[in-house]
Amino acid sequence: MPSIYDLKPAFQGLLRPLCARLAAGGITPNQITLAALLLSLANGTALALYATEAWPLLLLPAVLLVRMALNALDGMLAREHGMQSRLGAVLNELGDVLADTALYLPLALVPGVSATLVVLLVFLAILTEFAGIQAIQIGAERRYDGPFGKSDRALLFGAIGLLLGLGLSPGPWLMLLLALATVLALLTVLNRVRHALLGGGQA
């Protein structure tokens, strides 16, 4: 099933010149990973503290876009400039889960948003990444199968943040969207487990 993840090679191509400049400037992948996490924690804190205001919601799409760029850059620096490390691998995985949780969970505090669905979706997001990592333990490659991976979650929550920030009231449309995302997230977990066991699919 198609996923935003399929656009990753093109996105990386756009970032490659910047990646080369960062490498020449002595910037490390771990510094980029930590910057992405701190940015996510800052926006997530603002969402939690100012759940009734529009500006943290309007910041969310921009923060998610910057975070996606930083996530791509840390991997490119590691692979293409010989900066891979065991610490970097750990920081990358933990950073993604912490950033997702920090950015998405506070939406449960926004008036009119279903806290139950938000919490469930965040739980499934964590389970999705866990399922991807588990593949390594059985000798397969880290799984990134869709249909609702990290990039797809970013697109969804960025769109929700933008719409709510612009004044659209939460209602049945949001409930339906979150419910659909929950189903897709569960399918993603199952896909990653299945492909890891079969040793095929999208790595």
Side-chain angles (χ1 to χ4, degrees):
M1 189 175 294
S3 167
I4 300 297
Y5 184 81
D6 296 332
L7 300 176
K8 184 177 180 180
F11 190 49
Q12 288 178 328
L14 293 174
L15 294 172
R16 192 155 278 114
L18 174 59
C19 182
R21 289 197 293 271
L22 292 173
I27 303 299
T28 69
N30 291 352
Q31 290 171 336
I32 298 293
T33 302
L34 290 174
L37 177 57
L38 291 174
L39 177 65
S40 301
L41 290 172
N43 194 188
T45 300
L47 284 166
L49 294 178
Y50 303 98
T52 60
E53 297 190 22
W55 65 268
L57 292 166
L58 292 173
L59 278 178
L60 185 57
V63 168
L64 286 168
L65 181 60
V66 173
R67 181 195 160 202
M68 286 176 62
L70 292 174
N71 284 342
L73 285 167
D74 65 6
M76 293 166 65
L77 280 170
R79 291 188 304 272
E80 299 177 11
H81 296 274
M83 299 185 196
Q84 289 178 312
S85 68
R86 293 163 67 91
L87 175 60
V90 172
L91 286 177
N92 186 59
E93 296 293 351
L94 286 178
D96 279 345
V97 171
L98 290 172
D100 268 9
T101 304
L103 285 170
Y104 305 151
L105 197 56
L107 289 175
L109 302 175
V110 175
V113 175
S114 171
T116 300
L117 285 176
V118 171
V119 171
L120 180 58
L121 192 49
V122 169
F123 169 75
L124 288 172
I126 295 171
L127 194 60
T128 296
E129 300 312 313
F130 180 73
I133 298 168
Q134 280 291 99
I136 300 173
Q137 292 190 315
I138 60 173
E141 293 183 339
R142 183 17 171 128
R143 305 306 309 175
Y144 295 97
D145 309 274
F148 200 63
K150 180 173 63 178
S151 301
D152 306 290
R153 293 194 298 269
L155 179 62
L156 173 72
F157 280 102
I160 290 173
L162 179 62
L163 292 173
L164 294 178
L166 290 175
L168 183 62
S169 298
W173 69 271
L174 183 55
M175 184 80 72
L176 181 61
L177 197 57
L178 291 173
L180 176 60
T182 299
V183 173
L184 292 176
L186 182 57
L187 286 175
T188 302
V189 174
L190 296 176
N191 274 343
R192 293 190 180 188
V193 171
R194 180 170 61 88
H195 286 147
L197 292 172
L198 293 174
Q202 181 185 30

